[in-house]
Amino acid sequence: MYDLVIRSRRTVTPGGERPAAVAVRDGRIAALHEHAAPLESAEDVDLRDLVLLPGLVDSHVHVNEPGRTHWEGFATATRAAAAGGVTTIVDMPLNALPPTVSVAALEEKLRAAAGQCHVDVAFWGGAVPGNLADLRPLHDRGVRGFKCFMSPSGVDEFPRLTPGEIREAMAALAGFGGLLVVHAEDPALLAECAGPGYAAFLESRPAAAERSAVEQVVRLARETGARAHVLHVSSAECLDVLEAAQADGLPVTAETCPHYLTLTDADVPEGDTAYKCCPPIRSADNRDRLWDGLARGVIGCVVTDHSPSTADLKVPDFAAAWGGVSSLQLGLRAVWTEASRRGHGLADVARWMSAAPARLAGLRRKGGIEPGKDADLVAFDPDAAEPVEARRLHHKNPVTPYQGRRLRGAVLTTWLRGRPVDGVPYGTFLLEA
């Protein structure tokens, strides 16, 4: 007797897309059966030709609660996640107040989030100047790794680390198997934005700054033996550095984001600062090369870097506006729109947006439709298409560069551990392996 059976002729498993009946018991996937197998269950859902995806894992989300909950909070972020097919998020240590740089700060965040989460939530800790002694206690409390900035973060309470401080942090993390996730831009190669428009902003954050920073991360990983992950790769100039490191067997991985895979500098309307993010959206040729790096496995993950703010912080121009793209609810549709155009299938999307981020964050029960995993599942219509309406998003501040853009796909139902997400928050904190 199963609690739930979901049947689909297009079930996306780690082995590819196939007809299957997914049997659920006690919140986990108990078995995969033939599509038409007679099974005894409390509920039997037949999706027919709709796709059954594993719930996505978004390992790069800025929730901002407590402290900047008017930017985004756990209730709104996790509702948006579920509506976008995301069943697990990993929260970044900034821009909350206090940032998650000590166990005490993590406990404050857990208290703030309690009872609000519509999906499961894991947490990154922060590595900042002066908190070296906090890294192991945070690791032992259950954070998935540690975020640091090589360039200024944009908020004073989360300072950047110098190369020497990064080396110290990586040496400490290597001692207990910790992971450093790095915002990689070399501050020596960044400049003040010299004008109000997008061209000036793009020039102020050149591709060379990313490449130089990634070279430093690779060198430090080689010296210390620590695991390192490069966040939100926007520049294809980094790919050969990453590929060489991986060929050498170094534990260095990388991610990119939907906006770098779907948008280009030519798409940015005059003065539309919803497109501003750091590092920036670059050229169409650069976008094509990122897709090539993703297809070859040099880049493993696609995650949103959902970094919202209030609308007043996105003005008056590209020099002054807050840098961050809000896309937690739209990431799957945005990536599928471009992936399908380029000949990729939904099994590829599931690998990039579910399996790989789950593996990065050490979430062993997440990331795939296979026995033993949590029954985090998504009914998805891959052929639906409609324009984005910001007012229909669950983000607290629905400012998005995708406004009006026609995206493929529709999330019809999201199940978290075998229960449909229906407005009642029953997400849990993932503080254990």
Side-chain angles (χ1 to χ4, degrees):
M1 180 73 176
Y2 296 118
D3 302 322
L4 171 68
V5 170
I6 305 176
R7 305 173 191 268
S8 169
R9 295 187 182 95
R10 300 186 62 186
T11 301
V12 178
T13 73
E17 188 177 307
R18 67 179 179 89
V22 180
V24 178
R25 184 186 294 120
D26 297 329
R28 294 204 197 186
I29 298 170
L32 268 64
H33 295 278
E34 293 300 315
H35 177 262
L39 302 170
E40 188 177 357
S41 67
E43 183 180 9
D44 196 310
V45 177
D46 190 351
L47 299 179
R48 302 183 186 276
D49 291 322
L50 293 172
V51 173
L52 185 64
L53 287 170
L56 303 190
V57 177
D58 194 334
S59 58
H60 197 148
V61 179
H62 295 267
V63 177
N64 308 330
E65 187 174 6
R68 290 191 175 97
T69 312
H70 54 298
W71 291 16
E72 186 72 282
F74 282 98
T76 48
T78 56
R79 277 194 71 196
V86 176
T87 51
T88 302
I89 65 170
V90 189
D91 171 65
M92 281 291 170
L94 74 164
N95 301 298
L97 292 171
T100 315
V101 295
S102 68
V103 170
L106 174 62
E107 298 295 348
E108 189 168 341
K109 179 169 283 192
L110 296 176
R111 287 191 292 272
Q116 296 200 71
C117 299
H118 297 266
V119 301
D120 287 349
V121 181
F123 302 88
W124 297 112
V128 296
N131 85 323
L132 201 62
D134 292 291
L135 301 184
R136 183 61 187 261
L138 276 165
H139 171 83
D140 292 345
R141 184 64 180 91
V143 302
R144 316 314 300 184
F146 299 89
K147 165 77 173 283
C148 77
F149 278 77
M150 299 179 74
S151 56
S153 71
V155 291
D156 293 340
E157 68 275 2
F158 202 96
R160 75 178 187 93
L161 294 182
T162 65
E165 289 168 332
I166 294 175
R167 193 188 191 290
E168 288 181 342
M170 292 180 76
L173 296 179
F176 56 84
L179 171 68
L180 191 70
V181 300
V182 185
H183 181 122
E185 289 182 286
D186 186 340
L189 298 177
L190 301 179
E192 290 293 325
C193 188
Y198 190 74
F201 171 66
L202 184 57
E203 186 176 354
S204 74
R205 304 188 89 99
E210 274 192 84
R211 182 184 174 94
S212 173
V214 171
E215 289 172 339
Q216 293 178 53
V217 171
V218 168
R219 183 177 67 253
L220 292 170
R222 192 183 303 276
E223 291 175 3
T224 63
R227 295 186 296 140
H229 178 74
V230 180
L231 298 166
H232 47 47
V233 173
S234 82
S235 170
E237 297 299 317
C238 300
L239 293 176
D240 64 327
V241 181
L242 291 164
E243 189 166 24
Q246 292 162 3
D248 285 347
L250 294 178
V252 177
T253 55
E255 69 187 36
T256 193
C257 304
H259 40 281
Y260 301 131
L261 295 171
T262 61
L263 306 173
T264 73
D265 56 353
D267 295 324
V268 181
E270 182 68 28
D272 191 345
T273 57
Y275 289 76
K276 181 179 177 180
C277 54
C278 301
I281 296 163
R282 303 188 189 275
S283 70
D285 174 70
N286 181 83
R287 178 185 61 179
D288 292 343
R289 292 165 63 198
L290 288 178
W291 274 103
D292 179 66
L294 186 62
R296 292 188 291 112
V298 180
I299 297 172
C301 305
V302 180
V303 292
T304 62
D305 187 12
H306 178 69
S307 185
S309 71
T310 53
D312 62 295
L313 293 179
K314 295 296 281 186
V315 294
D317 55 39
F318 282 97
W322 174 259
V325 168
S326 297
S327 61
L328 182 55
Q329 189 170 332
L330 300 172
L332 171 58
R333 291 177 58 204
V335 171
W336 173 235
T337 299
E338 189 68 17
S340 60
R341 189 178 74 81
R342 292 172 180 266
H344 295 287
L346 282 164
D348 297 320
V349 174
R351 184 173 68 255
W352 300 327
M353 303 189 77
S354 183
R359 186 166 54 250
L360 171 73
L363 301 171
R364 298 186 182 92
R365 287 172 53 177
K366 306 295 184 180
I369 299 179
E370 55 186 321
K373 300 280 193 186
D374 286 347
D376 297 345
L377 303 163
V378 176
F380 185 68
D381 181 350
D383 300 318
E386 64 178 10
V388 172
E389 295 182 56
R391 63 181 179 83
R392 295 173 60 186
L393 301 177
H394 293 295
H395 308 157
K396 181 164 286 187
N397 293 284
V399 177
T400 174
Y402 295 102
Q403 169 64 27
R405 189 172 292 267
R406 190 173 182 84
L407 299 180
R408 288 193 71 193
V411 172
L412 303 180
T413 305
T414 299
W415 290 268
L416 177 66
R417 286 174 277 108
R419 290 177 57 184
V421 180
D422 58 3
V424 177
Y426 59 89
T428 63
F429 300 147
L430 305 177
L431 295 169
E432 299 177 0

